[in-house]
Amino acid sequence: MTTTTATAPAHTGEPDSAAEILARAGALAPVLRERAAEIERNRTLPADVVELLRGTGVFRMCSGREWGGPELTSMDQTRVVEKLAYGDASAAWCAVIGANTGLIANFLDQDIVKEVYPRQDMVTAGVLAPAGHAERVPGGFRLSGRWSFGSGIDHSDWVNSGAFVFEDGKPYASPDGSNPHESRQFLVSRADVETLDNWDTTGLCGTGSRDYTITDVFVPENHTFTFYEPRGRISPLSQPESFMRALCGVPLGVARAALDHAREIATTRVDRMTGTAWSDSFRVQVTIAECEADFNATRNGVYGSMTRQWEVLEAGGTLDDLTPEERAASPLAWLHAFRTARSIVNRLYDLLQTWSINRSSPMDRWLRDTATMCQNLTAQDVVLESVGAYLLGGRPKFRISLGITT
């Protein structure tokens, strides 16, 4: 008996269209599935897997046309991520993080974009939450701090981190009075960052989302930015919440993989106690159908809200041109994708019973991956709280999820 090993097809040239990047991502998915256990054990993406991802074009898919990038729509970005997550959730998660490089370019001083990113497939990792201390000094800032959950930081070129700004040791207020303690994003070379080996988690083990520290590093003024001040061409990808859109492709891809896996098993199994084919079992039929219904409704919610938003922005409108319900639909759909994927995987895990519990079963990994990804801020109750506040005329706590800049 011989075994075959999935191999990624050889590619030449940089992919310049959504169709090509999507095709390459789909071709890579079985390779990622085959290497998923290795990726998990490694606790970060192996170097050659990073290069396989780079070869799909995923790291450059958000890069603008003015920089030579393909500038995929948010819908196409999410489809690419789904394809990769069908193979491995950790690889897809890191792909989203790396792809954000093209989005960051929209907020940087445009005179230095080519200097910072001479290639469109460079990777920027980091944590957006302002966990650091940035002291104002002539020409820039001295940055120090510790940040948690730096997904993909091991293979990054740049590290972008949020920090509060201080001057003479005191909180720095925005000159326009809009913020009593200003925070910004700071772009630092990976060489100036120290990582801590503390990523040993339930799931998404291969993302390498370890803590990192930066100690008294000078950051020039033009290597800082805020998400509320795009400096490049205004487009649907220069919005403050553009960083959050494609991440929901990870749970959607995992849920689809789990559904296909369960259906494949159900067509071949026979109940040993009754002799009834699983395909004729009421329990199996209902569970599969319910999970398919939940998946279809959730996925359609994601793409429906995303497409409507894109249409308004592409026509030159702003998020304020959406109805309150339309504006709220996207963060709700993202959250629902995470939570529904976890629910689908849990139900299928129970459906397959003892065929799920071995570490060699992909169901075991999908169960742990979806449980872990649901701890991301995008899937937390603060999103519901913020959307509810917005719909009721209150002040949302997590405003960036709604693209609110004031």
Side-chain angles (χ1 to χ4, degrees):
M1 180 178 178
T2 59
T3 59
T4 59
T5 301
T7 57
H11 295 301
T12 57
E14 293 183 328
D16 290 320
S17 69
E20 187 175 2
I21 295 173
L22 190 63
R24 292 188 183 196
L28 183 58
V31 180
L32 296 175
R33 178 77 63 84
E34 188 170 274
R35 298 190 61 181
E38 174 196 351
I39 290 171
E40 185 168 58
R41 288 193 303 272
N42 202 50
R43 293 192 295 128
T44 190
L45 296 187
D48 68 313
V49 171
V50 174
E51 294 311 309
L52 290 173
L53 286 172
R54 200 185 310 276
T56 68
V58 66
F59 293 146
R60 66 191 302 270
M61 68 179 178
C62 300
S63 183
R65 291 184 295 273
E66 64 269 36
W67 307 114
E71 195 174 331
L72 268 59
T73 68
S74 293
M75 294 77 75
D76 282 333
Q77 292 172 33
T78 307
R79 293 185 185 100
V80 170
V81 175
E82 279 189 276
K83 289 287 188 183
L84 295 172
Y86 193 87
D88 181 68
S90 290
W93 193 274
C94 288
V96 178
I97 302 301
N100 284 343
T101 293
L103 302 178
I104 289 173
N106 294 320
F107 297 88
L108 284 171
D109 185 332
Q110 298 299 280
D111 291 340
I112 63 128
V113 171
K114 277 291 188 182
E115 172 191 325
V116 172
Y117 298 129
R119 304 191 324 271
Q120 283 74 51
D121 60 0
M122 296 179 72
V123 172
T124 306
V127 179
L128 307 183
H133 180 116
E135 186 73 25
R136 277 191 167 275
V137 296
F141 304 84
R142 305 297 305 189
L143 178 65
S144 296
R146 174 171 173 169
W147 292 260
S148 297
F149 310 117
S151 301
I153 194 167
D154 282 342
H155 58 264
S156 65
D157 300 290
W158 292 91
V159 177
N160 179 69
S161 308
F164 285 106
V165 177
F166 293 80
E167 189 171 48
D168 298 326
K170 298 177 181 179
Y172 176 81
S174 300
D176 61 4
S178 62
N179 194 333
H181 194 179
E182 183 179 282
S183 65
R184 301 184 68 80
Q185 301 295 313
F186 296 83
L187 198 62
V188 171
S189 169
R190 172 64 180 86
D192 291 325
V193 177
E194 296 290 334
T195 63
L196 287 74
D197 187 13
N198 65 344
W199 184 247
D200 189 10
T201 53
T202 302
L204 291 181
C205 302
T207 61
S209 304
R210 59 189 64 190
D211 287 12
Y212 64 91
T213 62
I214 297 173
T215 305
D216 196 32
V217 171
F218 176 72
V219 184
E221 179 82 38
N222 62 5
H223 283 211
T224 76
F225 64 96
T226 75
F227 291 116
Y228 306 133
E229 185 187 1
R231 296 171 179 169
R233 173 174 52 88
I234 300 301
S235 77
L237 296 182
S238 62
Q239 307 299 315
E241 39 63 73
S242 59
F243 294 81
M244 304 173 64
R245 296 175 194 162
L247 192 61
C248 64
V250 180
L252 288 176
V254 171
R256 182 70 266 165
L259 271 162
D260 289 352
H261 175 74
R263 286 173 63 181
E264 181 180 3
I265 288 178
T267 59
T268 61
R269 291 281 160 80
V270 174
D271 190 300
R272 288 176 292 183
M273 299 291 289
T274 66
T276 302
W278 272 38
S279 58
D280 292 327
S281 166
F282 175 84
R283 177 181 73 93
V284 176
Q285 293 167 342
V286 169
T287 301
I288 293 292
E290 286 181 339
C291 289
E292 283 284 355
D294 286 350
F295 176 80
N296 290 335
T298 301
R299 189 173 188 271
N300 287 337
V302 166
Y303 284 99
S305 60
M306 196 180 291
T307 300
R308 171 58 182 156
Q309 183 187 87
W310 187 274
E311 290 171 347
V312 169
L313 296 173
E314 190 174 40
T318 69
L319 294 177
D320 290 333
D321 294 317
L322 296 167
T323 67
E325 294 75 19
E326 289 173 335
R327 192 164 182 173
S330 284
L332 290 178
W334 304 334
L335 177 143
H336 198 57
F338 280 91
R339 294 187 174 185
T340 301
R342 177 172 61 180
S343 172
I344 288 171
V345 170
N346 284 348
R347 282 177 281 167
L348 295 176
Y349 185 97
D350 288 344
L351 175 69
L352 299 183
Q353 298 172 332
T354 54
W355 285 294
S356 297
I357 64 176
N358 290 321
R359 287 281 179 170
S360 59
S361 166
M363 288 303 307
D364 171 75
R365 184 170 54 256
W366 292 327
L367 183 79
R368 292 181 288 103
D369 282 346
T370 52
T372 300
M373 69 180 70
C374 278
Q375 309 317 308
N376 183 263
L377 181 61
T378 312
Q380 295 299 300
D381 282 347
V382 67
V383 176
L384 298 175
E385 179 186 7
S386 298
V387 172
Y390 170 72
L391 291 173
L392 294 172
R395 182 175 174 82
K397 183 179 294 184
F398 185 35
R399 292 181 293 160
I400 196 170
S401 66
L402 290 152
I404 295 174
T405 60
T406 58

Coordinates of all heavy atoms in Angstrom, one line a residue, residues 219-268:
V219 N 10.7 55.8 17.9 CA 9.8 55.7 16.7 C 9.6 57.0 16.1 O 9.1 57.9 16.7 CB 8.4 55.1 17.2 CG1 7.6 54.8 15.9 CG2 8.6 53.8 18.0
P220 N 10.1 57.2 14.9 CA 9.9 58.5 14.2 C 8.4 58.9 14.1 O 7.5 58.0 14.0 CB 10.5 58.3 12.8 CG 11.4 57.1 13.0 CD 10.8 56.3 14.0
E221 N 8.1 60.1 14.1 CA 6.7 60.6 14.0 C 6.0 60.0 12.8 O 4.8 59.6 12.9 CB 6.7 62.1 13.9 CG 5.3 62.8 13.8 CD 4.6 62.9 15.1 OE1 5.3 63.3 16.1 OE2 3.4 62.7 15.2
N222 N 6.7 59.9 11.7 CA 6.0 59.4 10.5 C 5.9 57.9 10.5 O 5.4 57.3 9.5 CB 6.7 59.9 9.2 CG 8.1 59.4 9.1 OD1 8.6 58.6 9.9 ND2 8.8 59.9 8.1
H223 N 6.3 57.2 11.5 CA 6.0 55.8 11.7 C 4.9 55.5 12.7 O 4.8 54.4 13.2 CB 7.3 55.0 12.1 CG 8.3 54.8 11.0 ND1 9.1 53.7 11.0 CD2 8.6 55.5 9.9 CE1 9.9 53.8 9.9 NE2 9.6 54.9 9.2
T224 N 4.1 56.6 12.9 CA 3.0 56.4 13.8 C 1.7 56.9 13.0 O 1.8 57.6 12.0 CB 3.1 57.3 15.1 OG1 2.9 58.7 14.7 CG2 4.5 57.2 15.7
F225 N 0.6 56.4 13.5 CA -0.7 56.8 12.9 C -1.9 56.5 13.8 O -1.7 55.9 14.9 CB -0.9 56.0 11.6 CG -1.0 54.5 11.7 CD1 -2.2 53.9 11.8 CD2 0.2 53.7 11.8 CE1 -2.3 52.5 12.0 CE2 0.1 52.3 12.0 CZ -1.2 51.7 12.1
T226 N -3.0 56.9 13.4 CA -4.3 56.5 14.1 C -5.2 56.0 13.0 O -5.1 56.4 11.8 CB -5.0 57.7 14.8 OG1 -5.6 58.6 13.8 CG2 -4.0 58.5 15.6
F227 N -6.2 55.2 13.4 CA -7.1 54.6 12.5 C -8.2 55.6 12.1 O -9.0 55.3 11.2 CB -7.8 53.4 13.1 CG -6.8 52.2 13.2 CD1 -6.5 51.7 14.4 CD2 -6.2 51.7 12.1 CE1 -5.6 50.6 14.6 CE2 -5.3 50.6 12.2 CZ -5.0 50.1 13.4
Y228 N -8.2 56.7 12.7 CA -9.2 57.7 12.5 C -8.7 58.8 11.5 O -9.4 59.8 11.3 CB -9.7 58.4 13.8 CG -10.1 57.4 14.8 CD1 -9.7 57.4 16.1 CD2 -11.0 56.3 14.4 CE1 -10.1 56.5 17.0 CE2 -11.4 55.4 15.3 CZ -11.0 55.4 16.6 OH -11.4 54.5 17.5
E229 N -7.5 58.6 10.9 CA -7.0 59.6 10.0 C -6.3 58.9 8.8 O -5.1 58.8 8.8 CB -6.0 60.5 10.8 CG -5.4 61.6 10.0 CD -4.3 62.3 10.7 OE1 -3.9 61.9 11.8 OE2 -3.7 63.3 10.1
P230 N -7.1 58.5 7.9 CA -6.5 57.9 6.7 C -5.7 59.0 5.9 O -6.1 60.1 5.7 CB -7.7 57.4 5.9 CG -8.8 58.1 6.4 CD -8.5 58.4 7.8
R231 N -4.5 58.6 5.5 CA -3.6 59.5 4.8 C -3.4 59.2 3.3 O -2.8 59.9 2.5 CB -2.2 59.5 5.4 CG -2.3 60.1 6.9 CD -1.0 59.9 7.6 NE -1.0 60.4 8.9 CZ 0.0 60.2 9.8 NH1 1.0 59.4 9.5 NH2 -0.1 60.7 11.0
G232 N -3.9 58.0 2.9 CA -3.9 57.6 1.5 C -5.2 57.9 0.8 O -6.0 58.6 1.3
R233 N -5.3 57.3 -0.3 CA -6.6 57.4 -1.1 C -7.7 56.9 -0.3 O -7.7 55.8 0.3 CB -6.4 56.6 -2.4 CG -7.7 56.5 -3.3 CD -7.3 55.8 -4.6 NE -6.6 54.5 -4.4 CZ -7.3 53.4 -4.2 NH1 -8.6 53.3 -4.2 NH2 -6.5 52.3 -4.1
I234 N -8.8 57.6 -0.3 CA -10.0 57.2 0.4 C -10.7 56.1 -0.4 O -11.0 56.2 -1.5 CB -11.0 58.4 0.7 CG1 -10.3 59.5 1.5 CG2 -12.2 57.9 1.4 CD1 -9.8 59.0 2.8
S235 N -10.9 55.0 0.3 CA -11.5 53.8 -0.3 C -12.2 53.0 0.7 O -12.1 53.3 1.9 CB -10.4 53.0 -1.0 OG -9.7 52.2 0.0
P236 N -13.0 52.0 0.3 CA -13.6 51.1 1.3 C -12.6 50.4 2.3 O -13.0 50.0 3.4 CB -14.3 50.0 0.5 CG -14.6 50.7 -0.8 CD -13.4 51.6 -1.0
L237 N -11.3 50.4 1.9 CA -10.3 49.8 2.7 C -9.5 50.8 3.6 O -8.6 50.4 4.3 CB -9.3 49.0 1.9 CG -9.9 47.8 1.1 CD1 -8.8 47.1 0.3 CD2 -10.6 46.8 2.1
S238 N -10.0 52.0 3.6 CA -9.3 53.0 4.4 C -10.3 53.5 5.6 O -10.3 54.6 6.0 CB -8.9 54.3 3.6 OG -10.0 54.9 3.0
Q239 N -11.1 52.5 6.0 CA -12.0 52.7 7.1 C -11.4 52.1 8.4 O -10.7 51.1 8.3 CB -13.4 52.1 6.8 CG -13.9 52.5 5.5 CD -14.2 54.0 5.4 OE1 -14.7 54.6 6.3 NE2 -13.8 54.6 4.2
P240 N -11.8 52.7 9.6 CA -11.2 52.2 10.8 C -11.5 50.7 11.1 O -10.6 50.1 11.8 CB -11.7 53.1 11.9 CG -12.9 53.8 11.2 CD -12.6 53.8 9.8
E241 N -12.6 50.2 10.7 CA -12.9 48.8 11.0 C -12.5 47.8 9.9 O -12.9 46.7 9.9 CB -14.4 48.6 11.4 CG -15.4 49.5 10.6 CD -15.4 49.1 9.1 OE1 -16.0 48.0 8.8 OE2 -14.9 49.9 8.3
S242 N -11.8 48.3 8.9 CA -11.5 47.4 7.8 C -10.6 46.3 8.2 O -10.5 45.2 7.6 CB -10.7 48.2 6.7 OG -9.6 48.9 7.2
F243 N -9.8 46.5 9.4 CA -9.0 45.5 9.9 C -9.7 44.3 10.4 O -9.1 43.2 10.6 CB -8.1 46.0 11.0 CG -7.1 47.1 10.5 CD1 -7.5 48.4 10.3 CD2 -5.8 46.8 10.3 CE1 -6.6 49.3 9.9 CE2 -4.9 47.7 9.8 CZ -5.3 49.0 9.6
M244 N -11.0 44.4 10.7 CA -11.8 43.4 11.4 C -12.6 42.6 10.5 O -13.1 41.5 10.9 CB -12.7 44.1 12.4 CG -12.0 45.0 13.4 SD -13.1 45.9 14.5 CE -13.9 44.6 15.4
R245 N -12.8 43.0 9.2 CA -13.8 42.3 8.4 C -13.5 40.9 8.0 O -14.3 40.0 8.1 CB -13.9 43.2 7.1 CG -14.5 44.6 7.3 CD -14.5 45.4 6.0 NE -14.7 46.8 6.3 CZ -14.4 47.7 5.4 NH1 -13.8 47.4 4.2 NH2 -14.6 49.0 5.7
A246 N -12.3 40.6 7.5 CA -12.0 39.3 7.0 C -11.7 38.2 8.0 O -11.7 37.0 7.7 CB -10.8 39.4 6.0
L247 N -11.5 38.6 9.3 CA -11.2 37.6 10.3 C -12.3 36.6 10.5 O -12.0 35.4 10.8 CB -10.9 38.3 11.6 CG -10.3 37.5 12.8 CD1 -8.9 37.0 12.3 CD2 -10.2 38.3 14.0
C248 N -13.5 37.0 10.2 CA -14.6 36.0 10.4 C -14.6 34.9 9.3 O -15.3 33.9 9.4 CB -16.0 36.7 10.3 SG -16.4 37.5 8.8
G249 N -13.7 35.0 8.3 CA -13.5 34.0 7.4 C -12.9 32.7 8.0 O -13.1 31.6 7.5
V250 N -12.2 32.9 9.1 CA -11.6 31.8 9.8 C -12.6 30.9 10.4 O -12.6 29.7 10.1 CB -10.6 32.2 10.9 CG1 -9.9 31.0 11.6 CG2 -9.5 33.1 10.3
P251 N -13.5 31.3 11.3 CA -14.6 30.4 11.8 C -15.5 29.9 10.7 O -15.9 28.7 10.7 CB -15.4 31.3 12.8 CG -15.1 32.7 12.4 CD -13.7 32.7 11.9
L252 N -15.8 30.7 9.6 CA -16.6 30.1 8.5 C -15.9 29.0 7.8 O -16.5 28.0 7.5 CB -16.9 31.3 7.5 CG -17.9 32.3 8.0 CD1 -18.0 33.4 7.0 CD2 -19.2 31.8 8.3
G253 N -14.6 29.1 7.6 CA -13.9 28.1 6.9 C -13.8 26.8 7.8 O -13.9 25.7 7.2
V254 N -13.6 27.0 9.1 CA -13.5 25.8 9.9 C -14.9 25.1 10.0 O -15.0 23.9 10.0 CB -13.1 26.2 11.4 CG1 -13.2 25.1 12.3 CG2 -11.6 26.7 11.3
A255 N -16.0 25.9 10.1 CA -17.3 25.3 10.2 C -17.6 24.5 8.9 O -18.2 23.4 9.0 CB -18.4 26.4 10.4
R256 N -17.2 25.1 7.8 CA -17.5 24.4 6.5 C -16.7 23.0 6.4 O -17.2 22.0 6.0 CB -17.1 25.3 5.3 CG -17.3 24.7 3.9 CD -18.8 24.6 3.6 NE -19.3 23.3 3.9 CZ -20.6 23.0 4.0 NH1 -21.5 24.0 3.8 NH2 -21.1 21.8 4.2
A257 N -15.4 23.1 6.9 CA -14.6 21.9 6.9 C -15.2 20.8 7.8 O -15.3 19.6 7.5 CB -13.2 22.2 7.4
A258 N -15.7 21.2 9.0 CA -16.3 20.3 9.9 C -17.6 19.7 9.4 O -17.8 18.5 9.5 CB -16.6 21.0 11.3
L259 N -18.4 20.5 8.7 CA -19.6 20.0 8.1 C -19.3 19.0 7.0 O -19.9 17.9 6.9 CB -20.4 21.1 7.5 CG -21.4 21.8 8.5 CD1 -21.8 23.2 8.0 CD2 -22.6 20.9 8.6
D260 N -18.3 19.3 6.1 CA -18.0 18.3 5.1 C -17.4 17.0 5.6 O -17.7 15.9 5.1 CB -17.0 19.0 4.1 CG -17.6 20.1 3.3 OD1 -18.9 20.2 3.3 OD2 -16.9 20.8 2.6
H261 N -16.6 17.1 6.7 CA -16.1 16.0 7.3 C -17.2 15.1 7.9 O -17.2 13.9 7.7 CB -15.1 16.4 8.4 CG -14.5 15.3 9.3 ND1 -13.5 14.5 8.8 CD2 -14.8 14.9 10.5 CE1 -13.2 13.6 9.7 NE2 -13.9 13.9 10.8
A262 N -18.1 15.7 8.6 CA -19.2 14.9 9.3 C -20.1 14.3 8.2 O -20.5 13.1 8.4 CB -20.0 15.8 10.2
R263 N -20.3 15.0 7.1 CA -21.2 14.4 6.1 C -20.5 13.2 5.4 O -21.1 12.2 5.1 CB -21.5 15.5 5.0 CG -22.6 16.5 5.6 CD -22.8 17.6 4.6 NE -23.3 17.2 3.3 CZ -23.5 18.0 2.3 NH1 -23.3 19.3 2.4 NH2 -24.0 17.6 1.2
E264 N -19.2 13.3 5.2 CA -18.4 12.2 4.6 C -18.5 11.0 5.5 O -18.7 9.9 5.0 CB -17.0 12.7 4.4 CG -16.1 11.6 3.7 CD -14.7 12.0 3.5 OE1 -14.3 13.1 3.9 OE2 -13.9 11.3 2.9
I265 N -18.3 11.2 6.8 CA -18.4 10.0 7.7 C -19.8 9.4 7.7 O -20.0 8.2 7.7 CB -18.0 10.5 9.1 CG1 -16.5 10.7 9.1 CG2 -18.3 9.4 10.1 CD1 -15.9 11.2 10.5
A266 N -20.8 10.3 7.7 CA -22.2 9.8 7.8 C -22.6 9.0 6.6 O -23.5 8.2 6.8 CB -23.1 11.0 8.0
T267 N -22.0 9.2 5.5 CA -22.4 8.4 4.3 C -21.8 7.1 4.3 O -22.1 6.2 3.4 CB -22.0 9.2 3.0 OG1 -20.6 9.4 3.0 CG2 -22.7 10.5 2.9
T268 N -20.9 6.8 5.2 CA -20.1 5.5 5.2 C -20.4 4.6 6.4 O -20.0 3.5 6.4 CB -18.6 5.7 5.0 OG1 -18.1 6.5 6.1 CG2 -18.3 6.5 3.7

